Each structure stands twice: as structure tokens, then as C-alpha cells.
Amino acid sequence: MSSTASGRGTRLLLLDGHALAYRAFYALPVENFSTTTGQPTNMIYGFASMLANALRDERPTHLAVAFDVSRQTFRAEAFPEYKAGRAR
């Protein structure tokens, strides 16, 4: 039985999908990443690149990517300073 199968050595990589997408969109210039019809692809490329790098560097056995489903989240309710000064 491998160490992963027995539960030892299990690594979960949990990612904030919106944070990665936001970072990717603003990190890469849209004029360098678009389709022939002008559709921007900088966010997709950046997200996939950061995901691939995280998988390579961290070598998780499990992966989960979470996305907020609405503007009002449990974090804002539990911690009012969560978005301190940012529009909700």
C-alpha cells in the first residue's frame, strides 16, 4: 500500500479561483493575449499557467478550486473588514 493510499502523504491544494483569475487578467497585457477575432485570452492563459506552476511546485495529491457565487459572501459576514474599502 502506498503512503498516499493509506492517507499519509496526502496533500490538498486549495485555490481561490477568482483571486487567480483577477491576478492573471491584470498581470498579462491583453494586447499580447487575444484570438484572431480580438477575444481576450490573457486571463485564461495566466490562470492555466499559474495552476500548472502550482501543481508542478507543490505536487498535491488533491486539488480544489473555489469560486465565490455571489457578491455577498460568508467572509464578509464573518469578518466585516474582509473587503476593507473595496466596493462590494
Side-chain angles (χ1 to χ4, degrees):
M1 179 187 284
S2 73
S3 63
T4 302
S6 67
R8 284 179 259 127
T10 301
R11 281 180 72 114
L12 169 65
L13 180 60
L14 179 59
L15 300 173
D16 180 339
H18 277 128
L20 283 178
Y22 183 89
R23 183 175 174 185
F25 181 80
Y26 288 103
L28 300 171
V30 71
E31 58 271 3
N32 294 344
F33 295 90
S34 60
T35 66
T36 56
T37 60
Q39 180 72 36
T41 59
N42 57 330
M43 188 279 302
I44 296 166
Y45 178 84
F47 186 96
S49 179
M50 286 188 283
L51 178 58
N53 289 338
L55 292 172
R56 181 198 65 220
D57 296 345
E58 301 301 326
R59 303 186 53 81
T61 57
H62 299 78
L63 170 70
V65 181
F67 292 89
D68 290 338
V69 294
S70 68
R71 293 194 176 272
Q72 186 62 25
T73 67
F74 71 92
R75 286 185 288 261
E77 292 174 17
F79 187 65
E81 292 80 21
Y82 171 67
K83 287 192 121 181
R86 291 184 284 162
R88 292 184 195 255

